[in-house]
Amino acid sequence: RVAPEGDIDLPAFHREQGRKYLTAWAIFSAVGLAYNAAYDLASHGSYFLRQDIVVLPMTLVAVVAAIFVRRPRIQAACLAVEFGAWAVFFARFQGSLTG
């Protein structure tokens, strides 16, 4: 809950609630990885499996970030990996998203 007045302390919010939303991110990502793998294996494709290879590090660093939510340097390193993986993902797969 956010107080109706006054400043919002986002670092304190992250320290208190970060584990919850980082864990949710990791779970959603893991479910997406599993679904993509199952779909590709059922359809004898490899497109989503190639995406999963890029998304897997994002899932793993979300778990690490959730575990070490009170360690700013680890959080920064995890964020750098997330951004790097997203950059690779969009550079590699953006063409298929635009048609």
Side-chain angles (χ1 to χ4, degrees):
R1 299 191 182 269
V2 177
E5 296 178 357
D7 292 336
I8 299 170
D9 188 355
L10 290 179
F13 177 82
H14 178 69
R15 284 188 304 273
E16 295 167 11
Q17 303 296 325
R19 187 163 283 131
K20 293 176 186 174
Y21 59 78
L22 289 167
T23 300
W25 170 254
I27 290 169
F28 288 137
S29 183
V31 168
L33 288 169
Y35 179 83
N36 284 347
Y39 179 80
D40 259 8
L41 292 174
S43 66
H44 305 292
S46 66
Y47 181 74
F48 289 116
L49 289 177
R50 287 181 293 177
Q51 289 182 0
D52 281 355
I53 291 168
V54 178
V55 174
L56 182 61
M58 293 188 251
T59 305
L60 296 177
V61 297
V63 171
V64 171
I67 292 169
F68 297 104
V69 74
R70 294 179 185 266
R71 299 275 183 89
R73 288 187 179 155
I74 294 174
Q75 294 286 299
C78 290
L79 185 61
V81 171
E82 287 281 347
F83 282 150
W86 274 111
V88 170
F89 182 88
F90 282 114
R92 180 78 174 106
F93 301 109
Q94 181 64 36
S96 62
L97 296 175
T98 59

